[in-house]
Amino acid sequence: MQKTLAAFAMEMHLKGHAKDIIDYSDDKDSDDDMPGPHVIRRSTYIDGVKMLMVDSQGRELPGTYNPLIVTELFRKQCKPWHGIVRSVLESTFHAASRTMESILQHAADEETAAALLSIVVAPAMEVIRAGLWSEADKILEPHISGHPITYNHYLTDNVQKAQAQRLRLKLEEYLKSFFNTSELPSGTGSYKFDMRKLFNQLTLRVEPDMDTYSCSIAIDMMEAYYKVALKTIIDSVSTLAVERCLLQKLPGILNPEVVCELPDDIASRIAAESPESVAKREQATEKLAVLEEAMVELRRLGTLGGQGTEGVTAA
């Protein structure tokens, strides 16, 4: 079970997002035939967000965005969650069912184990399964149909780290352009340049398109919230669904209280002999009766034979 949940966490990290947004097209190649997130350039993704902003534009000032945009983007980004969560719950449930079956087959004879599985265990497992799906829906519902909400400072940390990384890449490009080089040299070196010109180039480059700027900020916020929600959903599925609604319910299926409360007719059906066993027992009983009669007859004959020998000796 631990390996299954660890694999689930890994799959959520690798395939849980619908789109893999990258800054440069030469980092990855998108292949729609391959499973996993669709790789898309950030500039292309921004163009799509711009169209959403036009449709949802309200009274926002230029350069800002409607908060509902983040909700819409996040819902699209987390679409794979439902299928991945369902898959891991199916896997864990079937593993638990197979374990219960193996335990019964080891502890009881074949007929009793089959009766317990069909009469007691299977109905109880179906109840557990329904509760498992219900809990999964409760866990997913706020993310699928609700609005993003968190009080975790990790959200702002993610936003600032993403913006700092993008700024770092831009500064690197500016420096390469300024010094007319393809790679920034490492180590120390001596260079002659206009400090004021370099300063202006690094500080005066701003995004002139206010829509592009606001879209970029909205995307940063969505991606940051996605990372926070991803951690929450992985832990919730593992603890609230699998652990509480499945694993903790298994010991109660055949505990002593349940067995004592079984109706007499149910207990009789579980403990009753099969028709084959009844027929074999009757045949064995008949054979035993015949053998016992034969034994009695042999003893009688033995006794008579002994008496005849004593009479011959006396004469």
Side-chain angles (χ1 to χ4, degrees):
M1 194 64 70
Q2 293 293 331
K3 290 182 179 179
T4 300
L5 293 178
F8 160 69
M10 181 62 67
E11 185 176 8
M12 287 289 286
H13 282 290
L14 296 178
K15 302 179 181 180
H17 47 292
K19 295 183 182 295
D20 194 359
I21 306 169
I22 61 173
D23 287 322
Y24 297 97
S25 60
D26 56 355
D27 288 343
K28 294 181 182 179
D29 293 325
S30 177
D31 189 349
D32 293 335
D33 296 331
M34 295 295 291
H38 172 69
V39 178
I40 185 172
R41 291 188 62 183
R42 186 179 180 87
S43 58
T44 304
Y45 192 73
I46 287 177
D47 291 338
V49 176
K50 283 182 181 180
M51 291 188 291
L52 286 177
M53 283 194 169
V54 171
D55 295 336
S56 63
Q57 188 172 8
R59 298 180 178 179
E60 298 85 22
L61 292 172
T64 61
Y65 61 89
N66 188 333
L68 294 178
I69 286 292
V70 177
T71 302
E72 183 69 19
L73 295 178
F74 173 75
R75 288 178 182 175
K76 292 181 178 180
Q77 188 72 334
C78 72
K79 274 187 177 181
W81 286 6
H82 187 275
I84 296 175
V85 169
R86 283 284 178 173
S87 177
V88 71
L89 293 184
E90 284 282 357
S91 179
T92 53
F93 178 80
H94 288 306
S97 299
R98 289 193 299 269
T99 301
M100 291 292 294
E101 183 176 351
S102 298
I103 292 173
L104 286 176
Q105 290 175 349
H106 176 75
D109 61 86
E110 183 178 352
E111 296 171 358
T112 304
L116 283 171
L117 282 172
S118 62
I119 298 174
V120 179
V121 176
M125 290 299 291
E126 286 303 316
V127 173
I128 291 176
R129 184 176 187 172
L132 190 62
W133 298 155
S134 177
E135 187 65 27
D137 291 338
K138 290 179 182 178
I139 292 172
L140 289 169
E141 192 274 337
H143 302 287
I144 294 176
S145 59
H147 63 277
I149 181 171
T150 182
Y151 301 100
N152 193 333
H153 68 86
Y154 189 53
L155 175 71
T156 54
D157 290 347
N158 285 333
V159 172
Q160 294 178 42
K161 287 178 181 178
Q163 293 176 349
Q165 177 63 21
R166 196 158 53 252
L167 177 61
R168 176 186 175 87
L169 293 175
K170 287 183 178 180
L171 290 177
E172 183 177 351
E173 292 299 320
Y174 294 162
L175 290 174
K176 289 179 181 179
S177 175
F178 182 83
F179 289 105
N180 192 24
T181 180
S182 59
E183 294 291 337
L184 290 180
S186 58
T188 59
S190 299
Y191 302 93
K192 292 183 179 181
F193 58 90
D194 187 340
M195 180 67 73
R196 176 61 60 180
K197 183 178 179 182
L198 175 60
F199 177 77
N200 290 336
Q201 187 168 353
L202 293 178
T203 58
L204 296 180
R205 292 198 175 190
V206 296
E207 176 57 59
D209 189 339
M210 291 183 291
D211 290 337
T212 299
Y213 174 77
S214 60
C215 287
S216 181
I217 297 299
I219 294 171
D220 288 340
M221 188 62 66
M222 181 276 291
E223 290 186 305
Y225 179 76
Y226 177 88
K227 292 180 179 180
V228 174
L230 181 65
K231 293 177 178 290
T232 302
I233 201 77
I234 291 174
D235 289 341
S236 296
V237 169
S238 300
T239 57
L240 300 181
V242 175
E243 183 67 29
R244 191 182 70 177
C245 295
L246 177 60
L247 299 182
Q248 292 182 4
K249 301 289 186 181
L250 296 180
I253 294 178
L254 282 175
N255 62 27
E257 290 79 6
V258 172
V259 175
C260 291
E261 293 176 359
L262 286 175
D264 293 341
D265 58 333
I266 298 296
S268 298
R269 288 172 57 190
I270 294 174
E273 292 181 292
S274 65
E276 293 80 6
S277 297
V278 172
K280 289 181 180 180
R281 182 168 53 81
E282 291 177 350
Q283 291 177 0
T285 302
E286 291 175 358
K287 291 179 180 180
L288 179 61
V290 171
L291 291 174
E292 288 176 345
E293 290 178 1
M295 179 63 71
V296 171
E297 184 65 23
L298 290 172
R299 287 175 179 174
R300 187 181 66 81
L301 292 175
T303 302
L304 292 176
Q307 291 177 353
T309 304
E310 290 176 358
V312 172
T313 302

